[in-house]
Amino acid sequence: MCALPICGNGGGGGGNTVSLGKAGNYVILAETGVSAVPTSAVTGNIGISPYAASFITGFALTADASNVFSTSSQVTGQVYASDYAPPTPANLTTAIADMQTAFTDASGRAPGVTELGAGNIGGMTLTAGVYKWGTGLYIPTDLTLSGSANDVWIFEIAQNLTMASATKIILSGGALPKNIFWQVSGLVDLGTTSHFEGVVMSQTAIILHTGSSVNGRLLAQSAVSIDGSTVVQP
């Protein structure tokens, strides 16, 4: 057990990072839908597969002449869908498979800490490592992740991940969002004006409520929904 509110027994830096493969080419990647309530701001590419471009809503897409991708005033990057021209369908099939592989990899890492805070980690400072919960995880107040630019955090969550409104994840000591992985078997629900850091890998859906922001990636095995939100790739 670790001494609260600071936990330093997460597993010696979390071991190796989780490889995203071709899924790392996207800041938002989903299988069944990507929706936005304007005006949102996304920095990075968006992809959906096997569902078609018609399941990307709220972005006012403009197809490129090549029909390989689309653009949007809300996206600094490109938008890809499974019904676009080659090589997009094959690229997305690979990315989705890599997303699923990354999820399985993260879920299988040996934890250094289990059931921390009985599923409530608000107000804590966590050093790098692997943390696991057999329940949902709730972040009701600001959470700090403290470590170097080389440290890795992996959070294995068996149910939902819920973050309260106006709550922040704070990085200190040089910690980087690209090295923070949230493997969630349930729903990810980020409250109004909350701020989140890291790569989210959800087996179901990811929902960002009004004014929320993410530095990281949103990788969902169903749908991603954002509402006047900001999502920036690490």
Side-chain angles (χ1 to χ4, degrees):
M1 295 294 292
C2 58
L4 301 181
I6 299 176
C7 179
N9 297 322
N16 295 327
T17 189
V18 177
S19 174
L20 300 178
K22 296 300 182 181
N25 293 336
Y26 305 88
V27 66
I28 298 177
L29 181 63
E31 296 188 28
T32 65
V34 180
S35 64
V37 175
T39 302
S40 293
V42 177
T43 301
N45 296 329
I46 296 174
I48 183 174
S49 178
Y51 279 38
S54 58
F55 290 88
I56 302 174
T57 60
F59 286 97
L61 297 179
T62 300
D64 182 73
S66 66
N67 199 37
V68 170
F69 63 88
S70 291
T71 58
S72 167
S73 62
Q74 298 177 80
V75 180
T76 304
Q78 298 172 340
V79 181
Y80 297 88
S82 62
D83 57 337
Y84 287 175
T88 296
N91 289 344
L92 283 169
T93 296
T94 300
I96 293 294
D98 288 349
M99 173 179 73
Q100 295 167 345
T101 297
F103 181 93
T104 300
D105 176 13
S107 70
R109 299 293 181 97
V113 173
T114 59
E115 313 305 337
L116 178 65
N120 182 329
I121 57 173
M124 295 185 185
T125 297
L126 304 183
T127 57
V130 181
Y131 299 82
K132 183 172 184 175
W133 293 267
T135 62
L137 185 64
Y138 183 44
I139 307 175
T141 56
D142 291 356
L143 169 69
T144 300
L145 304 181
S146 178
S148 75
N150 295 319
D151 283 338
V152 176
W153 288 256
I154 298 174
F155 300 97
E156 303 173 20
I157 304 161
Q159 298 175 13
N160 296 341
L161 168 60
T162 304
M163 189 170 186
S165 297
T167 298
K168 302 185 297 295
I169 293 179
I170 301 165
L171 305 186
S172 68
L176 297 176
K178 71 176 184 178
N179 292 330
I180 302 165
F181 301 91
W182 304 84
Q183 178 263 317
V184 185
S185 295
L187 170 74
V188 176
D189 189 283
L190 306 184
T192 301
T193 70
S194 64
H195 177 73
F196 198 84
E197 299 273 352
V199 178
V200 181
M201 300 181 290
S202 172
Q203 198 168 29
T204 60
I206 301 171
I207 300 172
L208 275 60
H209 293 278
T210 306
S212 57
S213 59
V214 173
N215 286 336
R217 301 184 192 278
L218 305 177
L219 310 177
Q221 294 179 37
S222 63
V224 174
S225 173
I226 65 176
D227 184 349
S229 304
T230 301
V231 184
V232 179
Q233 67 183 5

